[in-house]
Amino acid sequence: MTWVEVLPVGAIMSLGVLLMAYGLDKGHRAFHNGKPHRHSKERVDYHLDTRDEQILDFRVIKNNPRKLDRLLQSVQHN
């Protein structure tokens, strides 16, 4: 068997592996709202996630006066 005979089989196998990897990535992103994989997150991404959570918490407290009152009472008692 020469290398010319191996090329079509190698191309088919490579294409299959690439399709599986692409499908896994798209499936993961579809189930996790477009977020990247955890192993590809860097330190900056974790800090940005924390900041975004704090901003969302602030918006919830700002839009709900009862939560603001509870927050102020808990700060005053401590």
Side-chain angles (χ1 to χ4, degrees), residues 13-74:
M13 291 175 64
S14 298
L15 182 64
V17 170
L18 288 173
L19 283 174
M20 285 188 290
Y22 183 76
L24 282 172
D25 182 55
K26 289 300 175 187
H28 175 84
R29 287 179 184 262
F31 285 111
H32 295 286
N33 301 321
K35 293 180 182 177
H37 298 279
R38 286 184 186 235
H39 61 79
S40 63
K41 289 178 103 175
E42 296 178 0
R43 176 183 251 169
V44 174
D45 296 325
Y46 289 109
H47 289 294
L48 288 175
D49 288 343
T50 305
R51 184 205 63 181
D52 293 344
E53 287 176 11
Q54 290 173 350
I55 289 172
L56 289 175
D57 290 342
F58 177 75
R59 285 184 184 169
V60 168
I61 290 172
K62 182 180 170 187
N63 293 334
N64 191 345
R66 290 183 183 170
K67 287 188 179 184
L68 180 60
D69 290 338
R70 287 185 205 137
L71 178 68
L72 291 174
Q73 288 175 358
S74 67

